[in-house]
Structures are given as structure tokens and as C-alpha cells.
Amino acid sequence: MTTGALAMPTRPALERAPQIASHQLAMIALIMSELMLFAGLGGMYVVVRLSATVWPPADQPRLPLFVTALNTLVLFGSVLPITRAFGALRRGDQATATRRVVTTSVLGTLFLAVQGFEWARLVHHGLTLASSLYGGAFYVLIGCHALHVLTAVVWLAVVAVLTARGRFTAASHAGLEMCTIYWYFVSGLWAVLFPLVYLY
């Protein structure tokens, strides 16, 4: 008998695609850590709110509810174009996908601009980080969310440029996918923060 006759037949290795792609796993980890951050900040806000006998304090300006409600519609409306960007990309229409990503970025910028304008008015009327626990809790919680929206807007701008250059296709669009998921996250987070801070 030859050595070759004794050799065991080899079986082809079974290759399975991962159930969750690495970029999706990374995004899940990022969002979970962000959720813990905002759970802590939200808890801080609730504790401050429940410990106050009068809320908001009588000597502090009221939050701009009507303008912020309209601004909330702007943020929620921005979810639609970024969602439709995928459909355009799957059809191979990169120009439309780019326009829809840019539209989302512009709406996000508008949301931040309106918030910044309203904060400037609040500061002018005496609501600052140091004016009271009310002011400190408001700016820390809402300011942290605004920082996340700003990060997402910059990310959207980069994704728009890459989409226009043909970097993303129907078969390869992980960057656009992650950016879209993050935008869903910051928009969904506002659905919790707006009633908590402005209505509660």
C-alpha cells in the first residue's frame, strides 16, 4: 500500500457567511454605549426634575415649546430622504442617492441652527449652565444630543461626497448603511428627549 492510499479523503470546507457583518456589530456596540450614556443623563434630569418643588423655577425662562415642536418635525422628516437613498442606490441611481443624503444633511443642519438660535435667546433671558440646576440639566442633556446630531451631520456630508464619487454601490454600501442607522438613532433619541424635557 502506498502512503497516498492511506490518506483520508479531504472534504471541502464549509464556508458560511457571518450572520451579522462586522460593521453592523460595531454599530450595535456603538449605539448600546450611547444608550447607556443617555440613560445616565436622562436619569440625572429626572432626579433633578423630581427634586424640584417648582419646575421650571419661577425666575427662569420657559423653553420654546412651539418652535421646538416644529423643529422636531424637521428632524423626523429628515429620516425619509436618507431611507430612500438606499432605494435609489439599489437602482444604480447614485445622483438621486446623493441628493437624498444631502437633503438629510441640510435638514439636520437646519435642526441644529434652530436649536442654536433658541439657545442664544434662552441665554439672553438668563437660562445658562450656571443659572440653576434647571439650566444645567437642560444644556447638558440637550447639548449632548445636539453634539451627536452634529457628528451625524458631518458624517452625512462625507457620505454624500463618497456617494457622488461612486464609492457606494448596490452591492457595497456599508458606509451609507452605518450612517443611516446612526441617523435613525439620533432621531429616535429625540423622540424620547423632546417630551421628557419640553413636555414633562
Side-chain angles (χ1 to χ4, degrees):
M1 264 189 179
T2 62
T3 307
L6 296 175
M8 296 293 293
T10 59
R11 295 181 179 176
L14 297 176
E15 295 183 4
R16 291 190 306 174
Q19 297 296 317
I20 301 179
S22 58
H23 69 273
Q24 293 172 331
L25 194 59
M27 185 53 60
I28 290 171
L30 173 64
I31 289 176
M32 291 304 294
S33 64
E34 299 283 16
L35 283 173
M36 287 188 284
L37 168 66
F38 279 98
L41 293 176
M44 171 272 301
Y45 183 86
V46 169
V47 168
V48 170
R49 166 71 179 88
L50 294 177
S51 64
T53 53
V54 178
W55 191 266
D59 60 339
Q60 296 289 282
R62 300 300 180 262
L63 299 180
L65 178 59
F66 179 71
V67 172
T68 305
L70 293 178
N71 205 27
T72 297
L73 296 178
V74 171
L75 183 62
F76 291 166
S78 69
V79 172
L80 184 60
I82 192 67
T83 303
R84 290 188 170 178
F86 273 115
L89 199 60
R90 290 190 187 101
R91 295 191 305 270
D93 189 353
Q94 291 179 332
T96 300
T98 301
R99 284 195 303 271
R100 287 176 174 167
V101 175
V102 169
T103 299
T104 301
S105 182
V106 169
L107 290 173
T109 303
L110 176 61
F111 174 81
L112 289 173
V114 172
Q115 268 200 331
F117 176 75
E118 290 302 322
W119 290 357
R121 290 183 60 192
L122 288 171
V123 169
H124 177 72
H125 287 94
L127 185 65
T128 67
L129 271 169
S131 63
S132 62
L133 283 175
Y134 172 60
F138 169 76
Y139 285 114
V140 168
L141 181 56
I142 302 302
C144 189
H145 178 263
L147 183 60
H148 282 71
V149 174
L150 177 61
T151 301
V153 165
V154 172
W155 192 356
L156 282 165
V158 172
V159 165
V161 171
L162 294 177
T163 304
R165 293 181 178 177
R167 182 72 176 271
F168 302 124
T169 64
S172 176
H173 51 261
L176 176 59
E177 180 184 358
M178 289 189 296
C179 185
T180 302
I181 292 171
Y182 195 72
W183 192 254
Y184 288 164
F185 167 69
V186 295
S187 300
L189 191 59
W190 186 249
V192 176
L193 296 182
F194 172 67
L196 174 66
V197 175
Y198 288 84
L199 301 178
Y200 177 55

